């Protein structure tokens, strides 16, 4: 919940929370003003969502996660989509 409150301070357009406590992070962020967000229990579910998500090419994307969550899969999807 503390992470969600901290995330809200930067006022993201979209929050995608992944992992065991993803619901708690999202709830806290929304309580502090985040308007759009999604929570996923695992990286594979988030990966499927992100593959279809419309993301403007000038977006700033912050990714934070443990090695256990295999966040590199998310990074790879974004690299493929944006050619970087």
């Amino acid at each position: 919940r503390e992470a969600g409150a901290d995330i809200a301070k930067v006022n993201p357009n979209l929050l995608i929370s992944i992992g065991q406590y993803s619901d708690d992070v999202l709830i806290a962020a929304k309580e502090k003003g985040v308007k759009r967000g999604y929570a996923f229990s695992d990286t594979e579910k988030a990966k499927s969502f992100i593959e279809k998500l419309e993301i403007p090419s000038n977006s700033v994307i912050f990714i934070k996660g443990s090695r256990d969550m295999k966040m590199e899969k998310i990074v790879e999807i974004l690299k493929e989509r944006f050619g970087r």
Side-chain angles (χ1 to χ4, degrees), residues 14-69:
L14 171 66
L15 167 61
I16 298 173
S17 181
I18 306 169
Q20 181 179 0
Y21 302 106
S22 60
D23 288 328
D24 293 329
V25 171
L26 183 58
I27 289 167
K30 285 189 169 188
E31 286 173 352
K32 296 291 185 178
V34 171
K35 293 181 181 29
R36 187 171 168 220
Y38 302 90
F40 298 94
S41 58
D42 62 64
T43 306
E44 287 303 314
K45 290 176 183 171
K47 181 179 166 229
S48 297
F49 176 79
I50 292 169
E51 286 174 333
K52 298 172 187 134
L53 183 64
E54 189 172 316
I55 303 171
S57 62
N58 64 343
S59 296
V60 174
I61 301 170
F62 173 80
I63 299 172
K64 190 273 178 212
S66 67
R67 294 285 304 140
D68 188 49
M69 290 304 301

Side-chain angles (χ1 to χ4, degrees), residues 63-80:
I63 299 172
K64 190 273 178 212
S66 67
R67 294 285 304 140
D68 188 49
M69 290 304 301
K70 298 181 176 86
M71 297 304 290
E72 65 273 7
K73 290 181 180 183
I74 304 299
V75 172
E76 289 304 316
I77 292 168
L78 296 169
K79 282 182 174 180
E80 287 173 16

